Amino acid sequence: MRAPRLGGVIFGSADYAASVRCGLGWNALHYARSALINAATAANIPAIDAPTWELDDPGILRRDAERAKELGFYGKGCVHPRHVQVINDVFTATAEEIAQARAIVEAADASGGTVTTVDGQMRGTPFFNAARALVAEADRRS
C-alpha cells in the first residue's frame, strides 16, 4: 500500500469515540491507535496521536505521550500551548538514545550487517534499521 499524496495521518480520537460510542480512555482507544499505526506504517507515512484532552495535569499528558511513542506514533496533537514542551520532551530522542543508536550502527557495520551484540543484547537487521533512522534524524536536526 502507498499513499503518495499524504504526508501523514492524525488520530481523531474524539471523532472515533463518538462514532463507535466508546470512551476516550487509553484502553478504549488502544485498538484504534494500533490499527492506525499499522496502516500508516504500511503506507510509509507517519502517524500523529490525538491530543490529550486533560489540560491541567502534565503527568497524564506525559503518560499518554510515552504510550503513543511506544506504539509507534511520531508525535502527538496538542490542544494547548502548555502541552508543547512535554510532547517535545517525550518525542525528541535523548543524547543517550542517540549514542545507543550510534553504537548499534557501528556494531552493524563492524559485523557486516549480521547479527551481533551491543551491550550484551543481541542485535540484528530490525535494530540496525531503527538505529540508522534515528541517527539520520538526529544528524538532520543538528
Side-chain angles (χ1 to χ4, degrees):
M1 173 175 17
R2 292 190 39 188
R5 297 183 131 198
L6 289 179
V9 294
I10 299 173
F11 178 41
S13 64
D15 295 321
Y16 178 85
S19 176
V20 302
R21 298 175 52 169
C22 72
L24 282 169
W26 189 265
N27 290 337
L29 298 174
H30 188 266
Y31 171 77
R33 282 183 164 102
S34 297
L36 179 63
I37 288 294
N38 284 321
T41 300
N44 198 31
I45 56 174
I48 305 299
D49 190 32
T52 293
W53 305 107
E54 169 61 51
L55 294 178
D56 297 324
D57 189 336
I60 291 173
L61 173 62
R62 181 169 294 281
R63 184 195 68 218
D64 286 354
E66 289 169 348
R67 286 175 171 176
K69 182 179 178 182
E70 186 175 1
L71 276 179
F73 283 98
Y74 278 69
K76 187 159 183 60
C78 185
V79 293
H80 195 281
R82 67 178 161 228
H83 283 188
V84 171
Q85 187 62 51
V86 172
I87 292 168
N88 282 340
D89 288 348
V90 170
F91 284 95
T92 300
T94 66
E96 182 180 325
E97 290 168 331
I98 295 167
Q100 181 66 26
R102 290 189 193 286
I104 292 170
V105 169
E106 288 175 20
D109 293 345
S111 72
T114 62
V115 174
T116 188
T117 59
V118 177
D119 295 329
Q121 296 184 351
M122 185 184 300
R123 296 293 184 238
T125 302
F127 298 97
F128 301 158
N129 292 343
R132 285 188 176 101
L134 180 57
V135 167
E137 181 181 328
D139 289 348
R140 273 193 309 274
R141 290 179 185 222
S142 59

